[in-house]
Amino acid sequence: MITSSADPRPADFTDVRAANLAVVLRFVRDNAPCSRADIAASTGLNKATVSSLVADLIDRRLLREVGLTEHRVGRPATMLVLDGSPYASIGLEINVDYLTAVAVDLSGERLLSWRRSFPGATATPAQAVSAIAALTRRVISRMTRDRRQALGVAVAVPGLIDTGGTVVVAPNLGWRGVDLAGDLAKALHDPGLPIQVENDANLAVLAEHRFGPLGGTPNLVYLTGEVGVGAGVILDGRLRRGGQGFGGEIGHIEIDPEGPACRCGRTGCLEAVAGIGVLVSSTDPAKVEPEIEEVVRRAKAGDRPTLDRLARVGRDLGKGIAIATNLLNPEAVILGGYYVPLAPWLLPAAAAEAGDRTIAADLGGCRIVASTLGYGAAALGGAARVLDSVDSGRLPSRPTS
Ligand SMILES: [Zn+2]
C-alpha cells in the first residue's frame, strides 16, 4: 500500500472510503445535475464503487436523485444533485461594533442572517464569549426547530489567530491570548460539533471564493474595510495563512512614515491612513455606521472637503493595494466592510494610485471591486469554512431526525 511521505498514517479502508465519498460529493457540487456514469467517467472510480458511494451519500442525505434525463446517448440516467436539507453550517463574526451570525445549507442557500450591535471594543473577552455563545445557542435552536443538524461553527475575529483557535492578539478588540475556541466550547457545554476560530479577512475571502460573483477565481485578495484593515489571500485556489497563520496583516505595513499613530503602537500603518477610523470622528464604534452614512450623504451632495478626504484615503488605499498586486498578482482585489458604501469615491483614486505603483501594466490584470456580500461576509465565510471541512471528507454520519 502506498502512503505519501506527507502523511505517515497508513491509508486504511475507512480513510480511502471517506476520501472517495468526499470526491463524489465535490464532483456533484461542481457539476450537478449529473449521473453516476458522469461521476465514474470523470473521477476514474469504477461504476460499482460510484454506485455504492452514491447510495451512502443519499443515505446521509447529502445527495438526492432528481429524475431522468434523455438528452444524452444511451439509456436515460437518473440525475443527482446536492441535498443537505437536514444540515446547517454556521458562521459568526465578532467585530468592534457588531456580532453577526449566518447559517447556510449544504448548497450555500442562506438560512438566516442576523446582525446585532455589540460593544466589542470595550467588552471583556469573557463578556464577548458569553455573547457569542448566546447567539450560537439561538442559531442552533432555530436550526433544531427547523429539523436541521448543525455541522459546525466557525467564528471570525479581527486579529491574529493561531492554528489552535487562540486569539493571539486582536488590537481593535484589546484582546491578547484568548482561547476563544476552547472558551466557546465550554460556554456551550461541549456541544459535540467542531468549533473553529479564524481571522475575519481569511473567512471573508473564503466567502467570496465560494459564494461571491468572482467565486472560483484562483487568486483573490479581500481587504476588510473596518476600523482595522486586514487581507485574506487565496492563491492557486487555496487560502494562504502563512507559517503560523499570521499572514495577510497588510493593515500594519507602513504607508506614510509621517502618518498618524496606529492602534498597534507603530505609525503610518495602512489602517491608520486608510482605515475607516480616518473618516469618522467618533471613537464610539456604535456610531461608526451612522457616521459613514453621513460621509456618503455629503459625498453625494458634492461636499468638497469630504470628496478631498475620500480621494486621499483612496490614494493611500491604492498604495496598500499595490503591495498586493506587486507581491501576489491576483485577478481581483475585493474591498469589503465599510469600503463598500464608499466605493464610488474610493475606487477611482485607489485604482489610479495602485496602477501607478504596480510594475505590471494594467495592474497585472487585477480588477479592484467592491464586495457584494455585505457586512456578513466574514460570518458567511465561517459557514463556507465548515462546508470546506465537509468537502474535504468530514462528513456527517446521517441526520439525527
Ligand atoms: Zn499598525
Side-chain angles (χ1 to χ4, degrees):
M1 185 169 288
I2 299 164
T3 57
S4 94
S5 58
D7 181 0
R9 293 172 306 142
D12 62 21
F13 175 76
T14 321
D15 288 339
V16 171
R17 185 158 177 94
N20 286 341
L21 285 167
V23 165
V24 172
L25 188 63
R26 280 199 303 273
F27 183 84
V28 178
R29 178 188 294 291
D30 295 340
N31 298 284
C34 57
S35 69
R36 289 165 175 81
D38 296 334
I39 299 170
S42 298
T43 61
L45 296 163
N46 74 50
K47 284 185 183 173
T49 305
V50 168
S51 287
S52 159
L53 294 166
V54 165
D56 193 340
L57 291 167
I58 289 175
D59 192 41
R60 294 170 199 242
R61 294 185 59 192
L62 292 164
L63 296 185
R64 65 187 168 88
E65 295 180 329
V66 286
L68 302 175
T69 181
E70 294 170 28
H71 301 295
R72 53 184 68 214
V73 180
R75 285 191 303 139
T78 305
M79 303 305 273
L80 297 161
V81 294
L82 285 183
D83 181 2
S85 53
Y87 303 108
S89 159
I90 299 169
L92 295 116
E93 179 187 9
I94 175 163
N95 217 305
V96 293
D97 53 342
Y98 59 84
L99 298 177
T100 40
V102 167
V104 303
D105 71 9
L106 201 69
S107 63
E109 184 81 17
R110 199 86 68 108
L111 302 171
L112 69 80
S113 188
W114 292 342
R115 190 161 191 254
R116 305 255 186 286
S117 68
F118 177 73
T122 52
T124 64
Q127 287 166 331
V129 166
S130 138
I132 297 167
L135 188 57
T136 308
R137 270 193 296 270
R138 235 171 295 149
V139 176
I140 291 175
S141 83
R142 168 69 72 89
M143 291 300 108
T144 308
R145 200 192 70 191
D146 295 347
R147 300 178 157 274
R148 288 178 187 272
Q149 177 187 335
L151 294 171
V153 174
V155 187
V157 180
L160 300 186
I161 319 297
D162 73 14
T163 45
T166 292
V167 182
V168 177
V169 60
N172 296 313
L173 296 174
W175 292 12
R176 206 168 267 280
V178 177
D179 175 17
L180 184 57
D183 291 349
L184 199 51
K186 267 183 235 145
L188 292 168
H189 308 294
D190 293 315
L193 74 173
I195 295 173
Q196 305 177 71
V197 176
E198 179 62 271
N199 173 269
D200 58 347
N202 286 354
L203 290 183
V205 80
L206 283 181
E208 295 287 351
H209 193 251
R210 188 181 271 267
F211 301 120
L214 293 168
T217 303
N219 304 286
L220 287 177
V221 173
Y222 179 100
L223 293 182
T224 58
E226 312 288 340
V227 172
V229 176
V233 177
I234 285 185
L235 290 181
D236 304 321
R238 291 186 56 194
L239 178 68
R240 302 295 168 171
R241 305 170 78 251
Q244 298 186 328
F246 302 156
E249 288 300 324
I250 198 169
H252 301 287
I253 288 176
E254 184 184 82
I255 296 294
D256 178 4
E258 310 293 314
C262 180
R263 283 174 176 235
C264 75
R266 297 167 186 85
T267 54
C269 296
L270 176 65
E271 72 177 46
V273 296
I276 284 309
V278 179
L279 294 166
V280 297
S281 57
S282 175
T283 52
D284 177 357
K287 295 185 181 146
V288 168
E289 193 170 344
E291 279 212 52
I292 294 293
E293 284 165 9
E294 176 63 15
V295 172
V296 169
R297 196 190 60 74
R298 286 187 191 179
K300 279 184 178 159
D303 177 59
R304 183 42 54 194
T306 300
L307 293 174
D308 289 346
R309 261 191 322 150
L310 284 167
R312 197 176 63 239
V313 168
R315 284 194 300 275
D316 282 336
L317 186 57
K319 293 178 189 172
I321 290 170
I323 293 168
T325 52
N326 281 316
L327 194 60
L328 305 171
N329 187 211
E331 281 96 13
V333 170
I334 302 169
L335 305 181
Y338 294 116
Y339 286 147
V340 175
L342 301 172
W345 302 281
L346 295 178
L347 274 180
E353 186 75 21
D356 282 350
R357 289 172 182 271
T358 301
I359 187 159
D362 298 326
L363 284 162
C366 176
R367 299 162 60 193
I368 305 173
V369 297
S371 173
T372 55
L373 296 180
Y375 292 111
L380 184 61
R385 175 69 177 259
V386 174
L387 295 182
D388 284 347
S389 306
V390 175
D391 280 354
S392 63
R394 191 191 278 174
L395 302 184
S397 48
R398 71 188 54 219
T400 46
S401 60

